[in-house]
Amino acid sequence: MRYEGDIYRPPSEAYSLLVQVTIGCTHNKCTFCKMFKTEVPGAELEEVLEDLAWARAQYRSVPRIFLCDGDAWRFPTPV
């Protein structure tokens, strides 16, 4: 797994597999948010897929996956 910068996760995800899909937040303009204040490039889709393949090879069972950082849904969904 690759992690860059600070990783924020809610306590309810304490036992989840953490997969960083963005680094910080791609939007980064919310006035109420104090977590992400620097603009950084996001993780590449290929890197995320490699991390998921690595996790699949390492663990027999992963009941939950938490997609980390500020804009976890930034990748387009396949149609």
Side-chain angles (χ1 to χ4, degrees), residues 30-43:
C30 299
T31 57
F32 61 85
C33 181
K34 302 291 185 216
M35 291 195 304
F36 308 106
K37 289 301 164 198
T38 58
E39 291 192 33
V40 292

Side-chain angles (χ1 to χ4, degrees), residues 38-55:
T38 58
E39 291 192 33
V40 292
E44 296 297 325
L45 180 58
E46 294 79 24
E47 292 175 352
V48 174
L49 295 174
E50 287 173 10
D51 286 348
L52 289 171
W54 178 88

Side-chain angles (χ1 to χ4, degrees), residues 8-79:
Y8 298 99
R9 63 147 179 84
S12 61
E13 302 297 338
Y15 299 107
S16 298
L17 174 69
L18 303 179
V19 178
Q20 189 173 27
V21 295
T22 62
I23 302 168
C25 178
T26 56
H27 179 67
N28 205 19
K29 293 176 179 65
C30 299
T31 57
F32 61 85
C33 181
K34 302 291 185 216
M35 291 195 304
F36 308 106
K37 289 301 164 198
T38 58
E39 291 192 33
V40 292
E44 296 297 325
L45 180 58
E46 294 79 24
E47 292 175 352
V48 174
L49 295 174
E50 287 173 10
D51 286 348
L52 289 171
W54 178 88
R56 183 178 185 127
Q58 297 297 313
Y59 303 111
R60 279 185 54 214
S61 174
V62 177
R64 293 173 61 111
I65 296 175
F66 182 71
L67 305 176
C68 297
D69 272 359
D71 189 11
W73 300 108
R74 74 179 191 95
F75 293 119
T77 53
V79 182

